[in-house]
Amino acid sequence: MKRTFAALATLALCAMGLLIGKPADKTSAAVMTKTKVRSCGTVHPIGKQAEEIQTSYLKFKAAKGAQLSATGSITIPVYFHVINRGPGIQNGDVPDRMIRAQINVLNEAFDGSTGGAATAFRFELAGVTRTTNEAWYNMGINSNDERAAKAALHQGGANALNFYTANLGGNLLGWATFPWSYHAKPEIDGVVCLFSSLPGGSTVPYDEGDTGTHEVGHWLGLYHTFQGGCSTNNDYVSDTPAEGGPAFDCPVGRDTCTTSKYPGLDPITNFMDYTDDSCMFQFTAEQAFRADGMFVQYRQE
Ligand SMILES: [Ca+2]
Ligand SMILES: [Ca+2]
Ligand SMILES: [Zn+2]
């Protein structure tokens, strides 16, 4: 569904450009040549399940006195698992320098230096595994290959981030598990990203490592900014304006939820939207607050 929507949106944008005789500027050129549109497979809870998770989270936060952990006070060990189909980056065997660059991107996103809120989280490389397995390399979401790969490779406890790279089926850039799922299925926990989305990878314009940032946001309990659409609760984060659906490319000034009920422009520069890596650069203060609470509730060792 998301892919269909995205394809239609891209077509509509291109058609608009043609109809109004807009010059082929950098933005529309990027739209026309994009071979992939952002699509994240992370399965969001809806309805009663989402309400239960939220109620439990609010109760937990209230009991804890709702304090935000000090900036940079939580260091997350990262186990990187490179799944490839042979040697060389063309086969998914991403070099160590790209792994280090991905860790740097996470740290800069979560410490606020790219322009967002400073969060409690820092990331430290704890280990790298490399596995050649063509079936795992092409894993689909929620597939036997995903389960087998994770059963073999997963390391650490609830606080450890297992970061898998592979080729991924379904045209997805990545997916993640949420913190509340850890207890029931610890071995599935972690984030999975398309290998070429790492910094310097070939999946332009998703080549700056922000697919990783986005998926780690989910891993820390954050929803898409367009979750719930134009609604009061939307993504359960009060300082991200409601958004009717995912934003692609970098549509500055977009406002899909209007009237006085939904003040503010769409949060297109937020890491939890679907825009290009060069467009997204921030988490908000309330996202930092929620991620911290979620970590303390479900992931603190
Ligand atoms: Ca919001
Ligand atoms: Ca609005
Ligand atoms: Zn996502």
Side-chain angles (χ1 to χ4, degrees):
M1 277 308 282
K2 278 171 190 162
R3 273 166 71 198
T4 310
F5 175 85
L8 286 172
T10 307
L11 276 174
L13 278 171
C14 293
M16 259 165 58
L18 290 173
L19 280 172
I20 59 171
K22 195 165 156 235
D25 63 15
K26 192 166 167 277
T27 311
S28 56
V31 170
M32 297 304 282
T33 56
K34 205 175 265 188
T35 56
K36 196 181 205 50
V37 292
R38 187 181 298 284
S39 185
C40 161
T42 304
V43 181
H44 285 49
I46 52 165
K48 196 162 180 281
Q49 196 203 352
E51 282 166 33
E52 281 169 5
I53 289 162
Q54 188 62 12
T55 303
S56 162
Y57 161 76
L58 291 175
K59 246 189 219 163
F60 180 84
K61 271 230 118 138
K64 284 275 172 185
Q67 288 289 323
L68 181 65
S69 300
T71 301
S73 63
I74 299 172
T75 298
I76 293 173
V78 185
Y79 294 95
F80 229 97
H81 305 292
V82 179
I83 300 169
N84 59 59
R85 62 173 180 189
I89 189 168
Q90 70 277 13
N91 292 312
D93 196 24
V94 293
D96 286 344
R97 68 178 155 77
M98 283 173 79
I99 295 170
R100 284 194 301 270
Q102 180 68 67
I103 299 286
N104 287 343
V105 165
L106 291 178
N107 278 315
E108 287 177 0
F110 282 88
D111 74 12
S113 60
T114 58
T119 77
F121 304 104
R122 299 296 179 268
F123 301 85
E124 200 169 77
L125 190 59
V128 177
T129 70
R130 292 178 184 276
T131 305
T132 302
N133 183 316
E134 184 132 16
W136 294 359
Y137 179 64
N138 293 308
M139 70 165 75
I141 186 168
N142 200 22
S143 64
N144 286 334
D145 288 320
E146 180 189 9
R147 280 185 286 274
K150 287 180 166 180
L153 299 172
H154 184 272
Q155 291 179 56
N159 70 324
L161 172 63
N162 281 264
F163 193 123
Y164 301 85
T165 63
N167 193 35
L168 309 190
N171 215 21
L172 294 171
L173 284 175
W175 64 81
T177 57
F178 285 116
W180 48 85
S181 304
Y182 179 83
H183 185 73
K185 291 182 177 176
E187 72 285 356
I188 294 298
D189 190 62
V191 309
V192 181
C193 288
L194 182 67
F195 75 95
S196 52
S197 75
L198 265 53
S202 59
T203 311
V204 180
Y206 312 113
D207 58 341
E208 296 178 16
D210 287 329
T211 296
T213 307
H214 174 109
E215 297 307 337
V216 172
H218 288 316
W219 186 78
L220 290 167
L222 302 182
Y223 294 132
H224 290 141
T225 48
F226 48 86
Q227 173 75 355
C230 304
S231 64
T232 310
N233 286 333
N234 55 82
D235 62 352
Y236 294 102
V237 172
S238 61
D239 61 357
T240 53
E243 188 176 27
F248 297 94
D249 311 313
C250 195
V252 175
R254 185 181 190 253
D255 193 5
T256 49
C257 300
T258 55
T259 77
S260 58
K261 202 174 169 192
Y262 303 115
L265 299 176
D266 293 0
I268 64 158
T269 57
N270 196 281
F271 287 121
M272 302 315 291
D273 205 340
Y274 266 13
T275 50
D276 294 349
D277 280 12
S278 59
C279 186
M280 52 171 66
F281 57 86
Q282 59 184 347
F283 291 113
T284 66
E286 290 298 323
Q287 283 177 320
F289 192 68
R290 177 180 173 87
D292 178 46
M294 286 286 177
F295 187 91
V296 175
Q297 185 175 7
Y298 294 109
R299 295 200 178 280
Q300 204 148 61
E301 288 285 272

